[in-house]
Amino acid sequence: TSSVLSKDKDTSAASKESTPEGAAKRQEERAGTPKQHLLDIIGNMKVEVSYRKKLQQLKASESKKQAMNELEGLDSEGSVPQGITEDTQRGKPLNPELVKAASAVASSLPHNKKQTVSDLLAQLRRHEETTDKQKKGGTVNIRNVISEMTVKRQSPAQRGARISGRISLQLDEDGRRTRPARSSAQSVLRNTKYRFSFLVYRSLKVGKRLNIFTKASTEPEHALKTVSSPTIWDLEFAKEVAAVTAQPPRNGFEEMIQWTKEGILWEFPIDNEVGMEDDAEFHEHIFLEKHLEGFPKEGPIRHFMELVICGLSKNPYLSVKQKVEHIEWFQKYFEEKKELLQEI
Amino acid sequence: MAARRVGAGCWQRALWLGRRCRLPGGRESCRSSSSSTALGKTVDNSQVTQEEIVLPRRKTWDKLAVLQTLASTVNKDPTAAHYMFQDDPFLMPRNAANSRLYSLSKESGRNAAKYIIKNFPQYFDKTFAEPNVPCLMPESLTPQTKGVSEEALRERIHLRMVKESVDMFDQLQQGGTPVSLETTNSLLDLLCFYGDGEPTPENEQEEKEDLEEPEVNASEQKAPKRQFQRRSQSSGPRWRENNHAERIFKIMPERNAHSYCTMIRGMVKHGAYSKAYDMYIDLLNERHKADVHTFNALIRAAPYLKERFVERWELAKDFLTHMAQQKVQPTLLTFNSVLKSLRRCGGVGRTMSLLVLKEMEALDIEPSLASYDHLLSMYYKGVDAQSSDIISEVLDEVEKRSFTAQDPDDASFFTTAMQVCCDLKDIKLAYQLNKALEKGDNWKFLDVNQLNGYWSKFFSLLCMMEQIEVVLKWYKEMSYSLFYPGPKNILDLLQALDAANQLEVIPSVWEDVKQLGFSRRQDLLEEFLSLMSRDQHPSEIQLAFAKCAEEIKAVHEPAGPGQVPLEWTGSALGHVVVLFSRAGRIQDAWNMMEHFQKINRIPTDKVMDEFLNCAKQTNCPDEAIKMVKLAASLGLLSSQRLKSRTEEEFELSETQKKALESIKWDGDSSDSDSDSSDSDRE
């Protein structure tokens, strides 16, 4: 029923400007209040308007047709005189005959005609309101019901959750019941099962867990276990899992990746230091000037030694140690021949 | 830039820089190498101020990083066949059968080479590669340790020589040498894994093939069998009573938990489920704890241990409770095993599977594709009342993640899901699934066989649900590069074309069908012919149709030696005649007409009318008379009507009129003949 009600509400909200009440209200408010205020009021009216309309329909269908139709017909046709609607405070027009009678009374009185009319009408209105209320049951109450319904409608997921929660609860009870007398309860469970498989709104997100395990907090134990060498089971399982995603390469690069993994292909990026035995880095191989400290700063020996290190720096086959030894050999050699050289 | 320079670590470049600046190459020196004098100056300055030049440390790269980056730049070419066929353009497969054949032969060549290397290692004693490439060299499979010792036994176990290991163990036992518990356990591992049988060479090869190219693994009849084996977890030999594993287990002086566990796993693997359960009870009695793998195996065995669905679930649940009691933490595989068992628990499974998933969530265990696969097959296989709730939720989950393989069952997810999409006839879900497949490395979960099934299902769904333009676009992009359409896909496509009233595309589809090798499939030919001949089309389309008809006709005629022509059916023959007639090829149409008599079939009225129309258009009264003659000789009721039509519509010469008259007379006289031929026919 909630959908019916709300649908009704929607339509009435959409067409609210055409209803006489709304129009009258707007006329009344247009005089002084700002637009925002007007909108607020209209917004407030929405529910009540629909509620009234709804009740009108219900009433019309129910009973007391004639008497009511008179009143309602006048209401909805909007044939109420302008002067009266101005007086009404909540947009509910009064029976014109009553108004006429009231003004007649007022005119018979000596002073402040207008004030008297409005006083009288206000009293009448109050009177009518209370009777209406008592006739139809509390407005507020029904309004609450409606608003509650719309809340429900807004979140069907929640509702689904609640329903499935309820059902799984039920099932759990069933399951527990079956346990003591397993064989006899089999059919019961099966029945419930079938009933549920068609009724339950199933989802991965809602529902209970098994509640068998608790979350792990025993890390050290795990660490100990993984240390032991893999058994044939582990090896074969790893192979099987790897086979799941081992697809033939889709392009040349993927093929090269595969070859790299197998160790067939030279690794990328091409690295000239691959396979070099000592930990020396390239600059130690190339920049050998620092080993020329012990040589003269200039002259033919210096020139000769610069050529030597130039050659050494281009030689990839010697280790750094060998290169240094090579330089040292020259150093010793020139040291030994120092006298001889000086003679020259 | 700095990274590249250093990363490359190229001697040459560094050298060149060094020479030019006469100074250890730093950051500054590289930036402007154009003027060496200016460089020298700045460098001098830095030396003066004693500024230390920090040489950047070597940057280490993942050896695959560059290749992976490059590979990610390669897009798929929708017109190209799979990469593995691109070595030789001549061997580019054009249909599913060829693709299978070529990939199989490629792989078998590789296997043959491996076989040779493995069996004749003595001929491969030279290492040419520097550094050596171990995977290209023969493995040493002969044990190095001689004599009878535990060391030798261990080596044999490592080399997986089942029989030798058992013999060695027995010798050691007889010699009174105690074998350590650890070695005995690994021997048990070996025996249990292979189910006490030798790891046969075929088996091994199959496994290796699996690793490299799973799709080429087996011929068509073999593939489902293997899958079935996998499903029932009983690959290899069955567990025999009192086999070596049991015997050794019995004579073991002491046993630890591992001994029990490996026995249980072996028994489950080889189908001795109740034995495994008994063994588990023994283990409990000995106050040992089982490990997580053993529990997984036991849970998988649960459906085989009990009859009723509820009891099966209860048993699996008992195992889970035991795990919790023994403080064994469950893994993803545990829950996947539970879900797998629940597949055999009917409706109970459907209800409980959700609880299991919730439990996984509570324990922070992310489901793998296998978990979802089990779930989907529980909910959608053989269940009539289907809703798309579960699968759309599953797809939402899958879409978010890129998966890595964790369970051997992961592979079947995408095929199952696509099947479900097809069953639900939900194209949106299928698109969503496709998107999930494209994410990350998810495509790797489909091997080439599954790929074909997956895409052909998707294509059928497209044909059913999508606009024809979309279908044709997919068709263009998918066929040959993603999959080879099957006969059913072609039928679906034809139906989609028919529904969208785009029959003019049929000739190009026929071209594809010829290439796909379906040109001899009677059902397809029937469909083609009936669609083409149903309505009248503009003349150029009719000409194209007639060409197709001619090719279809050729299939039915003896072509070369060894080729058995297809049998004509009456309807096919009629369609071909209609197609020829509409294209104005009266002579070809008449040739076809004559076939009716040969195969004892009767042309329908429509066919004969079309033929007469054609004869009229091309102004060939002779053919019309022949037609009437044929109809009369077959004793057809409509021959009279045809005759009068011929008389009215054609301008006949005197001889032709006479001929026509004589036919009538013939027809009258041969009434009895045609009757007899009728009875022959029936």
Side-chain angles (χ1 to χ4, degrees):
Chain A
T1 54
S2 75
S3 68
V4 177
L5 272 179
S6 63
K7 208 185 274 177
D8 203 34
K9 192 191 88 180
D10 287 347
T11 52
S12 69
S15 63
K16 68 175 178 296
E17 289 195 27
S18 61
T19 56
E21 288 97 332
K25 194 78 188 173
R26 268 175 63 164
Q27 272 177 2
E28 185 191 56
E29 294 291 335
R30 205 179 289 156
T33 44
K35 209 176 176 183
Q36 184 55 46
H37 191 203
L38 172 72
L39 288 174
D40 285 350
I41 289 172
I42 292 172
N44 287 340
M45 276 174 61
K46 258 193 233 168
V47 174
E48 212 168 340
V49 168
S50 70
Y51 153 65
R52 197 175 294 132
K53 260 188 120 179
K54 181 80 194 166
L55 282 182
Q56 280 166 8
Q57 287 166 3
L58 282 174
K59 257 185 286 167
S61 66
E62 268 175 16
S63 58
K64 298 181 276 181
K65 261 183 189 169
Q66 282 88 16
M68 283 303 163
N69 270 355
E70 241 184 353
L71 194 100
E72 301 300 333
L74 281 171
D75 270 354
S76 56
E77 273 161 31
S79 62
V80 194
Q82 198 72 11
I84 300 157
T85 40
E86 271 169 28
D87 275 346
T88 61
Q89 277 178 336
R90 295 189 59 226
K92 166 106 184 173
L94 294 169
N95 193 330
E97 281 172 28
L98 279 174
V99 177
K100 268 179 201 164
S103 53
V105 171
S107 62
S108 67
L109 287 172
H111 58 273
N112 209 348
K113 239 170 123 182
K114 248 187 183 168
Q115 178 64 40
T116 322
V117 175
S118 60
D119 279 354
L120 279 171
L121 289 179
Q123 180 59 35
L124 282 172
R125 255 184 46 77
R126 228 172 289 147
H127 192 73
E128 201 180 36
E129 252 179 23
T130 43
T131 41
D132 266 8
K133 230 183 248 175
Q134 280 160 12
K135 218 191 286 175
K136 298 160 191 170
T139 319
V140 187
N141 190 13
I142 292 185
R143 217 198 232 158
N144 283 349
V145 170
I146 290 170
S147 63
E148 218 181 84
M149 280 173 164
T150 43
V151 165
K152 264 190 192 168
R153 231 177 74 83
Q154 273 162 0
S155 59
Q158 257 184 14
R159 197 171 40 166
R162 209 180 306 159
I163 291 171
S164 65
R166 217 181 294 150
I167 289 171
S168 60
L169 209 81
Q170 222 173 322
L171 183 73
D172 191 51
E173 279 168 8
D174 276 356
R176 223 175 288 152
R177 236 186 289 135
T178 54
R179 225 167 287 164
R182 225 178 261 175
S183 51
S184 64
Q186 172 82 25
S187 59
V188 175
L189 193 79
R190 194 166 280 173
N191 281 344
T192 55
K193 173 197 80 199
Y194 277 128
R195 211 166 61 224
F196 290 138
S197 65
F198 296 116
L199 288 181
V200 177
Y201 169 73
R202 291 176 188 270
S203 165
L204 303 183
K205 294 185 182 65
V206 296
K208 301 189 320 145
R209 49 177 287 204
L210 283 174
N211 258 328
I212 292 176
F213 296 102
T214 49
K215 226 162 153 182
S217 57
T218 53
E219 288 303 317
E221 249 190 34
H222 264 259
L224 271 176
K225 260 181 197 166
T226 45
V227 167
S228 61
S229 68
T231 61
I232 183 171
W233 294 100
D234 301 331
L235 293 175
E236 288 299 317
F237 181 76
K239 252 195 207 173
E240 211 181 335
V241 168
V244 169
T245 48
Q247 304 305 334
R250 292 181 302 176
N251 54 52
F253 294 122
E254 286 185 356
E255 192 166 41
M256 283 159 91
I257 289 175
Q258 201 181 322
W259 285 341
T260 310
K261 280 181 183 161
E262 287 169 7
I264 297 173
L265 199 68
W266 195 263
E267 288 171 15
F268 278 99
I270 297 292
D271 184 356
N272 286 356
E273 293 171 51
V274 162
M276 269 171 31
E277 70 295 346
D278 52 352
D279 276 339
E281 288 183 38
F282 75 96
H283 63 91
E284 291 176 51
H285 276 274
I286 293 163
F287 305 116
L288 301 164
E289 280 94 342
K290 61 181 176 188
H291 301 297
L292 296 190
E293 300 276 312
F295 291 94
K297 291 270 181 272
E298 50 195 7
I301 293 178
R302 178 75 188 190
H303 186 66
F304 173 76
M305 281 315 292
E306 275 180 3
L307 290 178
V308 166
I309 60 167
C310 183
L312 282 177
S313 65
K314 285 182 183 174
N315 188 340
Y317 300 106
L318 297 177
S319 69
V320 174
K321 209 177 144 206
Q322 282 170 315
K323 286 178 182 179
V324 173
E325 276 170 5
H326 198 70
I327 295 169
E328 278 167 359
W329 183 87
F330 278 112
Q331 201 173 356
K332 249 185 235 160
Y333 177 81
F334 287 128
E335 205 64 46
E336 281 169 13
K337 308 281 182 202
K338 207 176 180 180
E339 289 172 19
L340 238 160
L341 284 168
Q342 270 168 352
E343 270 173 34
I344 298 168
Chain B
M1 177 178 172
R4 197 197 57 186
R5 171 165 41 86
V6 179
C10 181
W11 273 34
Q12 286 307 317
R13 189 179 300 153
L15 234 171
W16 172 75
L17 280 170
R19 287 302 113 209
R20 279 194 114 175
C21 342
R22 316 187 127 265
L23 166 285
R27 226 158 264 225
E28 292 87 354
S29 58
C30 251
R31 215 162 283 157
S32 57
S33 49
S34 52
S35 63
S36 54
T37 50
L39 261 177
K41 244 178 207 168
T42 53
V43 160
D44 281 342
N45 285 349
S46 68
Q47 271 181 338
V48 167
T49 51
Q50 293 297 308
E51 215 175 276
E52 185 116 3
I53 295 172
V54 183
L55 284 164
R57 296 290 307 169
R58 180 191 331 192
K59 183 155 168 46
T60 47
W61 290 72
D62 178 21
K63 57 182 177 177
L64 299 176
V66 174
L67 287 172
Q68 271 161 351
T69 315
L70 287 172
S72 71
T73 63
V74 181
N75 288 328
K76 202 165 57 208
D77 176 4
T79 60
H82 195 278
Y83 177 73
M84 74 177 135
F85 302 119
Q86 288 180 11
D87 284 349
D88 189 349
F90 179 73
L91 291 176
M92 209 71 97
R94 298 302 294 175
N95 57 47
N98 273 354
S99 137
R100 171 178 288 280
L101 181 69
Y102 295 162
S103 56
L104 271 174
S105 32
K106 192 169 180 176
E107 196 51 32
S108 66
R110 212 168 270 166
N111 281 338
K114 269 185 199 144
Y115 176 84
I116 296 289
I117 289 184
K118 195 178 156 194
N119 283 279
F120 303 100
Q122 64 269 30
Y123 301 127
F124 298 91
D125 54 349
K126 300 263 192 304
T127 55
F128 297 106
E130 181 63 43
N132 187 25
V133 181
C135 81
L136 295 181
M137 300 312 289
E139 305 166 55
S140 69
L141 286 175
T142 45
Q144 305 296 315
T145 325
K146 300 273 177 270
V148 180
S149 68
E150 192 173 328
E151 190 60 37
L153 172 62
R154 231 177 285 156
E155 192 181 4
R156 276 155 186 74
I157 292 171
H158 182 72
L159 293 173
R160 303 197 181 175
M161 303 162 84
V162 175
K163 196 168 176 303
E164 281 88 339
S165 305
V166 173
D167 290 346
M168 179 77 71
F169 180 82
D170 287 341
Q171 283 171 23
L172 282 171
Q173 284 287 317
Q174 281 158 14
T177 330
V179 182
S180 75
L181 179 63
E182 199 186 332
T183 312
T184 323
N185 275 345
S186 54
L187 176 61
L188 274 184
D189 280 343
L190 182 70
L191 290 175
C192 290
F193 184 81
Y194 288 111
D196 211 13
E198 205 71 22
T200 50
E202 299 101 277
N203 248 347
E204 243 176 35
Q205 262 173 6
E206 211 172 34
E207 273 167 22
K208 275 192 184 152
E209 257 178 315
D210 251 10
L211 271 179
E212 281 143 21
E213 277 179 64
E215 88 286 4
V216 274
N217 190 337
S219 58
E220 207 146 7
Q221 317 95 301
K222 220 172 159 188
K225 189 175 137 215
R226 198 177 44 127
Q227 281 207 336
F228 170 72
Q229 280 178 344
R230 223 177 241 176
R231 207 167 294 147
S232 65
Q233 306 158 7
S234 58
S235 53
R238 310 284 297 177
W239 191 266
R240 276 173 292 115
E241 196 76 29
N242 287 323
N243 57 15
H244 288 301
E246 279 188 26
R247 184 174 59 83
I248 291 171
F249 183 77
K250 266 178 207 152
I251 58 172
M252 275 169 82
E254 54 163 343
R255 306 167 196 133
N256 62 5
H258 185 107
S259 329
Y260 282 98
C261 287
T262 196
M263 287 298 281
I264 294 171
R265 290 173 80 178
M267 285 164 173
V268 172
K269 186 180 182 221
H270 298 285
Y273 302 113
S274 53
K275 271 195 166 207
Y277 187 72
D278 295 341
M279 186 60 82
Y280 174 66
I281 299 295
D282 288 348
L283 172 138
L284 288 185
N285 289 338
E286 296 288 321
R287 295 179 189 283
H288 286 304
K289 278 186 187 174
D291 63 2
V292 64
H293 306 290
T294 312
F295 276 117
N296 296 350
L298 284 169
I299 290 168
R300 281 198 301 274
Y304 305 96
L305 287 167
K306 298 280 182 191
E307 278 294 308
R308 288 178 179 154
F309 290 160
V310 187
E311 287 174 340
R312 288 173 179 183
W313 162 240
E314 289 294 332
L315 186 64
K317 206 170 156 190
D318 283 345
F319 287 134
L320 288 178
T321 331
H322 287 186
M323 283 178 80
Q325 280 164 4
Q326 297 178 23
K327 298 217 166 30
V328 177
Q329 274 302 321
T331 61
L332 169 74
L333 293 170
T334 312
F335 289 111
N336 280 354
S337 308
V338 175
L339 289 170
K340 197 173 185 177
S341 296
L342 283 175
R343 281 171 79 156
R344 298 174 160 271
C345 294
V348 182
R350 274 193 283 284
T351 320
M352 292 306 164
S353 56
L354 294 181
L355 301 192
V356 173
L357 278 183
K358 288 306 279 185
E359 184 85 5
M360 291 171 80
E361 197 180 291
L363 296 177
D364 281 339
I365 295 175
E366 283 207 317
S368 77
L369 287 177
S371 329
Y372 292 130
D373 179 42
H374 297 320
L375 192 71
L376 288 185
S377 37
M378 254 181 273
Y379 271 91
Y380 293 99
K381 282 219 173 120
V383 181
D384 293 330
Q386 289 177 339
S387 73
S388 56
D389 295 338
I390 294 285
I391 183 162
S392 65
E393 278 183 63
V394 165
L395 287 183
D396 285 343
E397 291 291 319
V398 170
E399 218 177 13
K400 284 185 222 149
R401 293 168 52 193
S402 171
F403 288 86
T404 48
Q406 289 168 288
D407 187 315
D409 291 328
D410 278 350
S412 51
F413 171 77
F414 283 102
T415 341
T416 312
M418 186 47 88
Q419 180 64 53
V420 173
C421 291
C422 271
D423 292 345
L424 294 172
K425 298 210 181 0
D426 195 331
I427 189 76
K428 275 206 187 105
L429 283 180
Y431 280 134
Q432 203 184 350
L433 183 65
N434 259 350
K435 238 173 87 194
L437 181 69
E438 280 164 17
K439 196 169 159 69
D441 278 344
N442 285 355
W443 64 271
K444 284 189 177 171
F445 286 96
L446 281 181
D447 67 34
V448 175
N449 266 344
Q450 288 174 320
L451 213 60
N452 242 327
Y454 176 90
W455 287 112
S456 75
K457 268 176 211 145
F458 179 60
F459 186 70
S460 294
L461 191 60
L462 276 177
C463 290
M464 233 185 293
M465 311 298 290
E466 268 292 2
Q467 301 285 325
I468 189 70
E469 295 84 31
V470 183
V471 174
L472 287 176
K473 191 172 152 279
W474 274 101
Y475 177 69
K476 235 183 208 158
E477 280 180 10
M478 293 201 305
S479 50
Y480 306 118
S481 62
L482 282 175
F483 81 117
Y484 298 95
K488 184 171 177 302
N489 296 129
I490 298 293
L491 279 178
D492 288 335
L493 180 63
L494 288 179
Q495 271 160 17
L497 287 174
D498 184 20
N501 217 0
Q502 296 241 329
L503 294 179
E504 65 270 16
V505 190
I506 286 186
S508 75
V509 178
W510 168 248
E511 286 298 314
D512 291 341
V513 165
K514 274 195 298 182
Q515 276 193 325
L516 288 166
F518 301 143
S519 55
R520 293 174 62 83
R521 293 196 54 121
Q522 210 99 41
D523 50 342
L524 266 183
L525 296 183
E526 270 316 298
E527 186 72 18
F528 266 105
L529 288 172
S530 71
L531 277 181
M532 286 194 294
S533 64
R534 199 181 52 198
D535 300 314
Q536 187 84 42
H537 292 275
S539 57
E540 64 263 37
I541 297 177
Q542 283 300 345
L543 283 177
F545 282 1
K547 240 177 117 189
C548 296
E550 194 178 354
E551 281 164 356
I552 292 175
K553 180 192 129 198
V555 176
H556 289 86
E557 278 164 1
Q563 262 223 326
V564 185
L566 280 182
E567 292 269 323
W568 278 108
T569 63
S571 54
L573 211 48
H575 291 317
V576 173
V577 171
V578 169
L579 285 171
F580 279 145
S581 310
R582 282 189 190 148
R585 295 164 67 167
I586 188 74
Q587 199 52 50
D588 290 323
W590 173 247
N591 289 342
M592 286 293 101
M593 268 300 191
E594 283 178 324
H595 272 88
F596 275 108
Q597 227 168 357
K598 283 185 203 156
I599 61 163
N600 276 341
R601 293 292 141 86
I602 297 171
T604 59
D605 289 354
K606 184 192 167 199
V607 172
M608 292 188 288
D609 283 340
E610 288 281 352
F611 185 80
L612 270 193
N613 287 347
C614 174
K616 197 181 161 202
Q617 270 167 16
T618 51
N619 203 12
C620 300
D622 282 341
E623 311 299 332
I625 294 166
K626 279 193 218 162
M627 231 296 285
V628 177
K629 209 176 189 174
L630 177 73
S633 72
L634 289 170
L636 298 177
L637 288 176
S638 55
S639 59
Q640 197 60 48
R641 187 176 57 80
L642 288 170
K643 185 187 153 230
S644 56
R645 230 190 110 182
T646 316
E647 280 168 347
E648 280 167 25
E649 292 179 12
F650 290 89
E651 285 180 15
L652 299 173
S653 64
E654 279 306 311
T655 46
Q656 283 167 335
K657 271 181 188 161
K658 257 184 209 161
L660 206 55
E661 286 309 312
S662 65
I663 292 167
K664 204 221 159 193
W665 191 81
D666 276 357
D668 279 347
S669 73
S670 65
D671 251 4
S672 56
D673 286 355
S674 67
D675 274 348
S676 65
S677 71
D678 266 351
S679 58
D680 280 350
R681 197 157 46 244
E682 281 144 27

